[in-house]
Amino acid sequence: MSASASGPASTPASGSASGPRPPRLTALAALCGLEALTLLGAGGYLLVMGLLGRPDSPRQAETGGLTVIVLALLPLLAVRGLLLRRSWSRGPALIIQIMALPVAWTLLQSSGAGIPAGIALAAVAVTGLVLLLHPTTTEALGIGARPDDSTRD
């Protein structure tokens, strides 16, 4: 029995599947999920208003809505990868956070409800970037550590 206990399950992996998921990684996945839901809602709103409303350009509203809905797939993909601790998931999550910053800046330059929305989006994007770049997150995703390094000594 002791031979099976020291089998492949106890060999050091890339750090991406051992131990419990760090809270920072779960928080990052939740942030990306929130961004995905927001994008789906905004895209759905644009699509419905393009179909049922009276926009200046229905075709542009419908195309914009479909584009935003498709764009929501990127953070959804990141959420799945982050929860499964896949190293590739850092890329889509990073792209979404970086894309959110100019949108937040544009909202901050507007007036009315755009300013609070810009503040909220900027806070979410900066928080996401901090969580993405934190050493705990990179270690949990197996980024930067080579699996063969621990067995060379």
Side-chain angles (χ1 to χ4, degrees), residues 18-57:
S18 61
R21 184 182 316 117
R24 283 182 176 88
L25 193 59
T26 305
L28 179 60
L31 266 175
C32 288
L34 176 66
E35 290 168 333
L37 289 175
T38 303
L39 285 170
L40 284 172
Y45 176 79
L46 285 172
L47 186 61
V48 168
M49 287 296 107
L51 293 172
L52 302 177
R54 302 261 183 228
D56 293 335
S57 173

PDB file of all heavy atoms in Angstrom, residues 18-57:
ATOM      1  N   SER A  18      -2.049  21.177  -7.364  1.00  0.00           N
ATOM      2  CA  SER A  18      -1.859  20.678  -6.013  1.00  0.00           C
ATOM      3  C   SER A  18      -2.397  21.673  -4.997  1.00  0.00           C
ATOM      4  O   SER A  18      -2.243  22.877  -5.139  1.00  0.00           O
ATOM      5  CB  SER A  18      -0.371  20.413  -5.761  1.00  0.00           C
ATOM      6  OG  SER A  18       0.357  21.604  -5.900  1.00  0.00           O
ATOM      7  N   GLY A  19      -3.036  21.141  -3.960  1.00  0.00           N
ATOM      8  CA  GLY A  19      -3.537  21.984  -2.889  1.00  0.00           C
ATOM      9  C   GLY A  19      -4.818  22.704  -3.249  1.00  0.00           C
ATOM     10  O   GLY A  19      -5.298  22.641  -4.376  1.00  0.00           O
ATOM     11  N   PRO A  20      -5.375  23.397  -2.264  1.00  0.00           N
ATOM     12  CA  PRO A  20      -6.611  24.148  -2.514  1.00  0.00           C
ATOM     13  C   PRO A  20      -6.349  25.373  -3.390  1.00  0.00           C
ATOM     14  O   PRO A  20      -5.244  25.889  -3.441  1.00  0.00           O
ATOM     15  CB  PRO A  20      -7.062  24.558  -1.112  1.00  0.00           C
ATOM     16  CG  PRO A  20      -5.815  24.559  -0.302  1.00  0.00           C
ATOM     17  CD  PRO A  20      -4.923  23.506  -0.883  1.00  0.00           C
ATOM     18  N   ARG A  21      -7.395  25.814  -4.058  1.00  0.00           N
ATOM     19  CA  ARG A  21      -7.285  27.002  -4.907  1.00  0.00           C
ATOM     20  C   ARG A  21      -7.122  28.228  -4.023  1.00  0.00           C
ATOM     21  O   ARG A  21      -7.890  28.435  -3.090  1.00  0.00           O
ATOM     22  CB  ARG A  21      -8.539  27.132  -5.754  1.00  0.00           C
ATOM     23  CG  ARG A  21      -8.487  28.285  -6.733  1.00  0.00           C
ATOM     24  CD  ARG A  21      -9.759  28.465  -7.560  1.00  0.00           C
ATOM     25  NE  ARG A  21     -10.301  27.247  -8.087  1.00  0.00           N
ATOM     26  CZ  ARG A  21     -11.508  26.769  -7.756  1.00  0.00           C
ATOM     27  NH1 ARG A  21     -12.267  27.414  -6.905  1.00  0.00           N
ATOM     28  NH2 ARG A  21     -11.941  25.649  -8.275  1.00  0.00           N
ATOM     29  N   PRO A  22      -6.128  29.062  -4.310  1.00  0.00           N
ATOM     30  CA  PRO A  22      -5.940  30.281  -3.500  1.00  0.00           C
ATOM     31  C   PRO A  22      -7.146  31.219  -3.626  1.00  0.00           C
ATOM     32  O   PRO A  22      -7.746  31.331  -4.697  1.00  0.00           O
ATOM     33  CB  PRO A  22      -4.697  30.936  -4.106  1.00  0.00           C
ATOM     34  CG  PRO A  22      -4.029  29.881  -4.896  1.00  0.00           C
ATOM     35  CD  PRO A  22      -5.087  28.918  -5.317  1.00  0.00           C
ATOM     36  N   PRO A  23      -7.502  31.900  -2.542  1.00  0.00           N
ATOM     37  CA  PRO A  23      -8.637  32.831  -2.592  1.00  0.00           C
ATOM     38  C   PRO A  23      -8.461  33.923  -3.652  1.00  0.00           C
ATOM     39  O   PRO A  23      -9.434  34.372  -4.243  1.00  0.00           O
ATOM     40  CB  PRO A  23      -8.678  33.435  -1.191  1.00  0.00           C
ATOM     41  CG  PRO A  23      -7.948  32.472  -0.315  1.00  0.00           C
ATOM     42  CD  PRO A  23      -6.947  31.798  -1.187  1.00  0.00           C
ATOM     43  N   ARG A  24      -7.215  34.348  -3.896  1.00  0.00           N
ATOM     44  CA  ARG A  24      -6.987  35.380  -4.918  1.00  0.00           C
ATOM     45  C   ARG A  24      -7.392  34.882  -6.308  1.00  0.00           C
ATOM     46  O   ARG A  24      -7.905  35.635  -7.125  1.00  0.00           O
ATOM     47  CB  ARG A  24      -5.520  35.798  -4.927  1.00  0.00           C
ATOM     48  CG  ARG A  24      -5.152  36.706  -3.809  1.00  0.00           C
ATOM     49  CD  ARG A  24      -3.697  37.138  -3.894  1.00  0.00           C
ATOM     50  NE  ARG A  24      -3.369  38.089  -2.872  1.00  0.00           N
ATOM     51  CZ  ARG A  24      -2.946  37.753  -1.664  1.00  0.00           C
ATOM     52  NH1 ARG A  24      -2.791  36.499  -1.345  1.00  0.00           N
ATOM     53  NH2 ARG A  24      -2.683  38.699  -0.780  1.00  0.00           N
ATOM     54  N   LEU A  25      -7.134  33.614  -6.577  1.00  0.00           N
ATOM     55  CA  LEU A  25      -7.494  33.039  -7.869  1.00  0.00           C
ATOM     56  C   LEU A  25      -9.015  32.942  -8.000  1.00  0.00           C
ATOM     57  O   LEU A  25      -9.572  33.233  -9.064  1.00  0.00           O
ATOM     58  CB  LEU A  25      -6.842  31.663  -8.019  1.00  0.00           C
ATOM     59  CG  LEU A  25      -6.853  31.045  -9.400  1.00  0.00           C
ATOM     60  CD1 LEU A  25      -6.145  31.945 -10.410  1.00  0.00           C
ATOM     61  CD2 LEU A  25      -6.192  29.678  -9.359  1.00  0.00           C
ATOM     62  N   THR A  26      -9.681  32.574  -6.919  1.00  0.00           N
ATOM     63  CA  THR A  26     -11.144  32.524  -6.933  1.00  0.00           C
ATOM     64  C   THR A  26     -11.727  33.921  -7.107  1.00  0.00           C
ATOM     65  O   THR A  26     -12.689  34.111  -7.864  1.00  0.00           O
ATOM     66  CB  THR A  26     -11.659  31.887  -5.629  1.00  0.00           C
ATOM     67  OG1 THR A  26     -11.040  30.607  -5.471  1.00  0.00           O
ATOM     68  CG2 THR A  26     -13.156  31.722  -5.646  1.00  0.00           C
ATOM     69  N   ALA A  27     -11.151  34.902  -6.434  1.00  0.00           N
ATOM     70  CA  ALA A  27     -11.624  36.283  -6.575  1.00  0.00           C
ATOM     71  C   ALA A  27     -11.422  36.784  -8.001  1.00  0.00           C
ATOM     72  O   ALA A  27     -12.290  37.474  -8.555  1.00  0.00           O
ATOM     73  CB  ALA A  27     -10.896  37.189  -5.584  1.00  0.00           C
ATOM     74  N   LEU A  28     -10.298  36.438  -8.600  1.00  0.00           N
ATOM     75  CA  LEU A  28     -10.031  36.834  -9.977  1.00  0.00           C
ATOM     76  C   LEU A  28     -11.041  36.192 -10.924  1.00  0.00           C
ATOM     77  O   LEU A  28     -11.555  36.855 -11.833  1.00  0.00           O
ATOM     78  CB  LEU A  28      -8.607  36.448 -10.359  1.00  0.00           C
ATOM     79  CG  LEU A  28      -8.170  36.758 -11.782  1.00  0.00           C
ATOM     80  CD1 LEU A  28      -8.260  38.246 -12.064  1.00  0.00           C
ATOM     81  CD2 LEU A  28      -6.747  36.260 -12.006  1.00  0.00           C
ATOM     82  N   ALA A  29     -11.340  34.917 -10.716  1.00  0.00           N
ATOM     83  CA  ALA A  29     -12.342  34.241 -11.548  1.00  0.00           C
ATOM     84  C   ALA A  29     -13.708  34.900 -11.382  1.00  0.00           C
ATOM     85  O   ALA A  29     -14.447  35.083 -12.358  1.00  0.00           O
ATOM     86  CB  ALA A  29     -12.403  32.759 -11.200  1.00  0.00           C
ATOM     87  N   ALA A  30     -14.041  35.292 -10.155  1.00  0.00           N
ATOM     88  CA  ALA A  30     -15.322  35.970  -9.915  1.00  0.00           C
ATOM     89  C   ALA A  30     -15.369  37.326 -10.623  1.00  0.00           C
ATOM     90  O   ALA A  30     -16.396  37.698 -11.207  1.00  0.00           O
ATOM     91  CB  ALA A  30     -15.544  36.147  -8.416  1.00  0.00           C
ATOM     92  N   LEU A  31     -14.252  38.073 -10.592  1.00  0.00           N
ATOM     93  CA  LEU A  31     -14.190  39.359 -11.302  1.00  0.00           C
ATOM     94  C   LEU A  31     -14.386  39.170 -12.799  1.00  0.00           C
ATOM     95  O   LEU A  31     -15.135  39.915 -13.433  1.00  0.00           O
ATOM     96  CB  LEU A  31     -12.840  40.027 -11.055  1.00  0.00           C
ATOM     97  CG  LEU A  31     -12.765  41.026  -9.924  1.00  0.00           C
ATOM     98  CD1 LEU A  31     -11.338  41.501  -9.724  1.00  0.00           C
ATOM     99  CD2 LEU A  31     -13.667  42.199 -10.178  1.00  0.00           C
ATOM    100  N   CYS A  32     -13.703  38.182 -13.355  1.00  0.00           N
ATOM    101  CA  CYS A  32     -13.852  37.909 -14.798  1.00  0.00           C
ATOM    102  C   CYS A  32     -15.277  37.469 -15.116  1.00  0.00           C
ATOM    103  O   CYS A  32     -15.826  37.834 -16.158  1.00  0.00           O
ATOM    104  CB  CYS A  32     -12.850  36.849 -15.244  1.00  0.00           C
ATOM    105  SG  CYS A  32     -11.155  37.429 -15.296  1.00  0.00           S
ATOM    106  N   GLY A  33     -15.891  36.711 -14.215  1.00  0.00           N
ATOM    107  CA  GLY A  33     -17.280  36.313 -14.409  1.00  0.00           C
ATOM    108  C   GLY A  33     -18.215  37.508 -14.383  1.00  0.00           C
ATOM    109  O   GLY A  33     -19.152  37.598 -15.185  1.00  0.00           O
ATOM    110  N   LEU A  34     -17.951  38.443 -13.470  1.00  0.00           N
ATOM    111  CA  LEU A  34     -18.749  39.671 -13.403  1.00  0.00           C
ATOM    112  C   LEU A  34     -18.608  40.471 -14.701  1.00  0.00           C
ATOM    113  O   LEU A  34     -19.592  40.987 -15.238  1.00  0.00           O
ATOM    114  CB  LEU A  34     -18.310  40.509 -12.204  1.00  0.00           C
ATOM    115  CG  LEU A  34     -18.969  41.863 -12.023  1.00  0.00           C
ATOM    116  CD1 LEU A  34     -20.451  41.707 -11.717  1.00  0.00           C
ATOM    117  CD2 LEU A  34     -18.285  42.642 -10.921  1.00  0.00           C
ATOM    118  N   GLU A  35     -17.393  40.551 -15.209  1.00  0.00           N
ATOM    119  CA  GLU A  35     -17.175  41.262 -16.477  1.00  0.00           C
ATOM    120  C   GLU A  35     -17.898  40.568 -17.627  1.00  0.00           C
ATOM    121  O   GLU A  35     -18.491  41.228 -18.486  1.00  0.00           O
ATOM    122  CB  GLU A  35     -15.677  41.356 -16.761  1.00  0.00           C
ATOM    123  CG  GLU A  35     -14.961  42.291 -15.824  1.00  0.00           C
ATOM    124  CD  GLU A  35     -13.448  42.183 -15.898  1.00  0.00           C
ATOM    125  OE1 GLU A  35     -12.925  41.118 -16.262  1.00  0.00           O
ATOM    126  OE2 GLU A  35     -12.787  43.189 -15.587  1.00  0.00           O
ATOM    127  N   ALA A  36     -17.883  39.243 -17.633  1.00  0.00           N
ATOM    128  CA  ALA A  36     -18.571  38.503 -18.686  1.00  0.00           C
ATOM    129  C   ALA A  36     -20.078  38.749 -18.624  1.00  0.00           C
ATOM    130  O   ALA A  36     -20.718  38.990 -19.665  1.00  0.00           O
ATOM    131  CB  ALA A  36     -18.272  37.013 -18.567  1.00  0.00           C
ATOM    132  N   LEU A  37     -20.645  38.706 -17.423  1.00  0.00           N
ATOM    133  CA  LEU A  37     -22.083  38.951 -17.281  1.00  0.00           C
ATOM    134  C   LEU A  37     -22.452  40.374 -17.692  1.00  0.00           C
ATOM    135  O   LEU A  37     -23.488  40.593 -18.325  1.00  0.00           O
ATOM    136  CB  LEU A  37     -22.515  38.691 -15.837  1.00  0.00           C
ATOM    137  CG  LEU A  37     -22.525  37.230 -15.401  1.00  0.00           C
ATOM    138  CD1 LEU A  37     -22.844  37.121 -13.912  1.00  0.00           C
ATOM    139  CD2 LEU A  37     -23.519  36.429 -16.227  1.00  0.00           C
ATOM    140  N   THR A  38     -21.596  41.326 -17.351  1.00  0.00           N
ATOM    141  CA  THR A  38     -21.848  42.715 -17.743  1.00  0.00           C
ATOM    142  C   THR A  38     -21.811  42.865 -19.261  1.00  0.00           C
ATOM    143  O   THR A  38     -22.672  43.538 -19.843  1.00  0.00           O
ATOM    144  CB  THR A  38     -20.818  43.643 -17.077  1.00  0.00           C
ATOM    145  OG1 THR A  38     -20.885  43.462 -15.662  1.00  0.00           O
ATOM    146  CG2 THR A  38     -21.086  45.094 -17.413  1.00  0.00           C
ATOM    147  N   LEU A  39     -20.824  42.241 -19.883  1.00  0.00           N
ATOM    148  CA  LEU A  39     -20.742  42.305 -21.344  1.00  0.00           C
ATOM    149  C   LEU A  39     -21.941  41.624 -22.005  1.00  0.00           C
ATOM    150  O   LEU A  39     -22.480  42.126 -22.993  1.00  0.00           O
ATOM    151  CB  LEU A  39     -19.436  41.673 -21.840  1.00  0.00           C
ATOM    152  CG  LEU A  39     -18.182  42.505 -21.628  1.00  0.00           C
ATOM    153  CD1 LEU A  39     -16.939  41.673 -21.924  1.00  0.00           C
ATOM    154  CD2 LEU A  39     -18.204  43.746 -22.493  1.00  0.00           C
ATOM    155  N   LEU A  40     -22.357  40.475 -21.466  1.00  0.00           N
ATOM    156  CA  LEU A  40     -23.537  39.799 -22.014  1.00  0.00           C
ATOM    157  C   LEU A  40     -24.782  40.675 -21.879  1.00  0.00           C
ATOM    158  O   LEU A  40     -25.590  40.770 -22.809  1.00  0.00           O
ATOM    159  CB  LEU A  40     -23.755  38.457 -21.316  1.00  0.00           C
ATOM    160  CG  LEU A  40     -22.824  37.330 -21.712  1.00  0.00           C
ATOM    161  CD1 LEU A  40     -23.028  36.126 -20.792  1.00  0.00           C
ATOM    162  CD2 LEU A  40     -23.025  36.930 -23.155  1.00  0.00           C
ATOM    163  N   GLY A  41     -24.936  41.323 -20.730  1.00  0.00           N
ATOM    164  CA  GLY A  41     -26.080  42.206 -20.525  1.00  0.00           C
ATOM    165  C   GLY A  41     -26.066  43.401 -21.468  1.00  0.00           C
ATOM    166  O   GLY A  41     -27.085  43.754 -22.064  1.00  0.00           O
ATOM    167  N   ALA A  42     -24.893  44.028 -21.603  1.00  0.00           N
ATOM    168  CA  ALA A  42     -24.784  45.189 -22.492  1.00  0.00           C
ATOM    169  C   ALA A  42     -25.015  44.785 -23.943  1.00  0.00           C
ATOM    170  O   ALA A  42     -25.710  45.484 -24.693  1.00  0.00           O
ATOM    171  CB  ALA A  42     -23.415  45.845 -22.333  1.00  0.00           C
ATOM    172  N   GLY A  43     -24.446  43.656 -24.337  1.00  0.00           N
ATOM    173  CA  GLY A  43     -24.640  43.177 -25.707  1.00  0.00           C
ATOM    174  C   GLY A  43     -26.088  42.825 -25.978  1.00  0.00           C
ATOM    175  O   GLY A  43     -26.630  43.133 -27.042  1.00  0.00           O
ATOM    176  N   GLY A  44     -26.727  42.180 -25.000  1.00  0.00           N
ATOM    177  CA  GLY A  44     -28.145  41.846 -25.157  1.00  0.00           C
ATOM    178  C   GLY A  44     -29.008  43.092 -25.257  1.00  0.00           C
ATOM    179  O   GLY A  44     -29.936  43.155 -26.068  1.00  0.00           O
ATOM    180  N   TYR A  45     -28.686  44.093 -24.442  1.00  0.00           N
ATOM    181  CA  TYR A  45     -29.428  45.352 -24.487  1.00  0.00           C
ATOM    182  C   TYR A  45     -29.282  46.016 -25.864  1.00  0.00           C
ATOM    183  O   TYR A  45     -30.272  46.449 -26.465  1.00  0.00           O
ATOM    184  CB  TYR A  45     -28.945  46.291 -23.380  1.00  0.00           C
ATOM    185  CG  TYR A  45     -29.585  47.652 -23.425  1.00  0.00           C
ATOM    186  CD1 TYR A  45     -30.873  47.847 -22.934  1.00  0.00           C
ATOM    187  CD2 TYR A  45     -28.915  48.739 -23.977  1.00  0.00           C
ATOM    188  CE1 TYR A  45     -31.468  49.091 -22.978  1.00  0.00           C
ATOM    189  CE2 TYR A  45     -29.506  49.990 -24.026  1.00  0.00           C
ATOM    190  CZ  TYR A  45     -30.773  50.157 -23.528  1.00  0.00           C
ATOM    191  OH  TYR A  45     -31.373  51.391 -23.592  1.00  0.00           O
ATOM    192  N   LEU A  46     -28.043  46.093 -26.358  1.00  0.00           N
ATOM    193  CA  LEU A  46     -27.825  46.703 -27.673  1.00  0.00           C
ATOM    194  C   LEU A  46     -28.561  45.940 -28.769  1.00  0.00           C
ATOM    195  O   LEU A  46     -29.159  46.540 -29.670  1.00  0.00           O
ATOM    196  CB  LEU A  46     -26.331  46.748 -27.998  1.00  0.00           C
ATOM    197  CG  LEU A  46     -25.499  47.794 -27.291  1.00  0.00           C
ATOM    198  CD1 LEU A  46     -24.011  47.580 -27.580  1.00  0.00           C
ATOM    199  CD2 LEU A  46     -25.921  49.189 -27.727  1.00  0.00           C
ATOM    200  N   LEU A  47     -28.532  44.623 -28.690  1.00  0.00           N
ATOM    201  CA  LEU A  47     -29.187  43.800 -29.703  1.00  0.00           C
ATOM    202  C   LEU A  47     -30.700  43.990 -29.670  1.00  0.00           C
ATOM    203  O   LEU A  47     -31.334  44.200 -30.709  1.00  0.00           O
ATOM    204  CB  LEU A  47     -28.817  42.333 -29.490  1.00  0.00           C
ATOM    205  CG  LEU A  47     -29.299  41.343 -30.533  1.00  0.00           C
ATOM    206  CD1 LEU A  47     -28.718  41.687 -31.908  1.00  0.00           C
ATOM    207  CD2 LEU A  47     -28.896  39.933 -30.136  1.00  0.00           C
ATOM    208  N   VAL A  48     -31.281  43.966 -28.487  1.00  0.00           N
ATOM    209  CA  VAL A  48     -32.737  44.136 -28.363  1.00  0.00           C
ATOM    210  C   VAL A  48     -33.152  45.542 -28.796  1.00  0.00           C
ATOM    211  O   VAL A  48     -34.145  45.712 -29.512  1.00  0.00           O
ATOM    212  CB  VAL A  48     -33.191  43.839 -26.913  1.00  0.00           C
ATOM    213  CG1 VAL A  48     -34.621  44.285 -26.677  1.00  0.00           C
ATOM    214  CG2 VAL A  48     -33.047  42.355 -26.615  1.00  0.00           C
ATOM    215  N   MET A  49     -32.391  46.551 -28.395  1.00  0.00           N
ATOM    216  CA  MET A  49     -32.730  47.915 -28.808  1.00  0.00           C
ATOM    217  C   MET A  49     -32.571  48.086 -30.323  1.00  0.00           C
ATOM    218  O   MET A  49     -33.325  48.841 -30.942  1.00  0.00           O
ATOM    219  CB  MET A  49     -31.861  48.939 -28.071  1.00  0.00           C
ATOM    220  CG  MET A  49     -32.219  49.111 -26.617  1.00  0.00           C
ATOM    221  SD  MET A  49     -33.882  49.769 -26.390  1.00  0.00           S
ATOM    222  CE  MET A  49     -34.775  48.362 -25.805  1.00  0.00           C
ATOM    223  N   GLY A  50     -31.602  47.383 -30.895  1.00  0.00           N
ATOM    224  CA  GLY A  50     -31.449  47.442 -32.349  1.00  0.00           C
ATOM    225  C   GLY A  50     -32.608  46.789 -33.073  1.00  0.00           C
ATOM    226  O   GLY A  50     -33.021  47.232 -34.147  1.00  0.00           O
ATOM    227  N   LEU A  51     -33.151  45.730 -32.486  1.00  0.00           N
ATOM    228  CA  LEU A  51     -34.262  45.009 -33.115  1.00  0.00           C
ATOM    229  C   LEU A  51     -35.611  45.653 -32.829  1.00  0.00           C
ATOM    230  O   LEU A  51     -36.449  45.761 -33.720  1.00  0.00           O
ATOM    231  CB  LEU A  51     -34.283  43.557 -32.625  1.00  0.00           C
ATOM    232  CG  LEU A  51     -33.106  42.681 -33.045  1.00  0.00           C
ATOM    233  CD1 LEU A  51     -33.147  41.338 -32.331  1.00  0.00           C
ATOM    234  CD2 LEU A  51     -33.099  42.486 -34.552  1.00  0.00           C
ATOM    235  N   LEU A  52     -35.828  46.113 -31.590  1.00  0.00           N
ATOM    236  CA  LEU A  52     -37.150  46.605 -31.197  1.00  0.00           C
ATOM    237  C   LEU A  52     -37.238  48.112 -31.049  1.00  0.00           C
ATOM    238  O   LEU A  52     -38.321  48.679 -31.148  1.00  0.00           O
ATOM    239  CB  LEU A  52     -37.568  45.962 -29.862  1.00  0.00           C
ATOM    240  CG  LEU A  52     -37.617  44.431 -29.843  1.00  0.00           C
ATOM    241  CD1 LEU A  52     -37.961  43.944 -28.448  1.00  0.00           C
ATOM    242  CD2 LEU A  52     -38.604  43.911 -30.868  1.00  0.00           C
ATOM    243  N   GLY A  53     -36.129  48.735 -30.761  1.00  0.00           N
ATOM    244  CA  GLY A  53     -36.131  50.179 -30.518  1.00  0.00           C
ATOM    245  C   GLY A  53     -36.069  50.973 -31.810  1.00  0.00           C
ATOM    246  O   GLY A  53     -36.230  50.452 -32.913  1.00  0.00           O
ATOM    247  N   ARG A  54     -35.819  52.221 -31.662  1.00  0.00           N
ATOM    248  CA  ARG A  54     -35.698  53.135 -32.800  1.00  0.00           C
ATOM    249  C   ARG A  54     -34.328  53.798 -32.790  1.00  0.00           C
ATOM    250  O   ARG A  54     -34.217  55.023 -32.668  1.00  0.00           O
ATOM    251  CB  ARG A  54     -36.784  54.204 -32.734  1.00  0.00           C
ATOM    252  CG  ARG A  54     -38.176  53.664 -32.727  1.00  0.00           C
ATOM    253  CD  ARG A  54     -38.750  53.735 -34.114  1.00  0.00           C
ATOM    254  NE  ARG A  54     -40.131  53.286 -34.087  1.00  0.00           N
ATOM    255  CZ  ARG A  54     -40.598  52.417 -34.941  1.00  0.00           C
ATOM    256  NH1 ARG A  54     -39.822  51.925 -35.871  1.00  0.00           N
ATOM    257  NH2 ARG A  54     -41.850  52.052 -34.880  1.00  0.00           N
ATOM    258  N   PRO A  55     -33.240  53.016 -32.922  1.00  0.00           N
ATOM    259  CA  PRO A  55     -31.912  53.645 -32.951  1.00  0.00           C
ATOM    260  C   PRO A  55     -31.691  54.364 -34.270  1.00  0.00           C
ATOM    261  O   PRO A  55     -32.419  54.151 -35.250  1.00  0.00           O
ATOM    262  CB  PRO A  55     -30.953  52.471 -32.793  1.00  0.00           C
ATOM    263  CG  PRO A  55     -31.696  51.316 -33.373  1.00  0.00           C
ATOM    264  CD  PRO A  55     -33.155  51.573 -33.063  1.00  0.00           C
ATOM    265  N   ASP A  56     -30.689  55.239 -34.293  1.00  0.00           N
ATOM    266  CA  ASP A  56     -30.354  55.946 -35.528  1.00  0.00           C
ATOM    267  C   ASP A  56     -29.954  54.956 -36.613  1.00  0.00           C
ATOM    268  O   ASP A  56     -30.265  55.150 -37.778  1.00  0.00           O
ATOM    269  CB  ASP A  56     -29.207  56.938 -35.287  1.00  0.00           C
ATOM    270  CG  ASP A  56     -29.629  58.072 -34.369  1.00  0.00           C
ATOM    271  OD1 ASP A  56     -30.842  58.358 -34.304  1.00  0.00           O
ATOM    272  OD2 ASP A  56     -28.742  58.667 -33.730  1.00  0.00           O
ATOM    273  N   SER A  57     -29.247  53.924 -36.237  1.00  0.00           N
ATOM    274  CA  SER A  57     -28.808  52.900 -37.185  1.00  0.00           C
ATOM    275  C   SER A  57     -29.070  51.527 -36.587  1.00  0.00           C
ATOM    276  O   SER A  57     -28.250  51.014 -35.812  1.00  0.00           O
ATOM    277  CB  SER A  57     -27.318  53.084 -37.493  1.00  0.00           C
ATOM    278  OG  SER A  57     -26.856  52.015 -38.281  1.00  0.00           O
TER     279      SER A  57
END
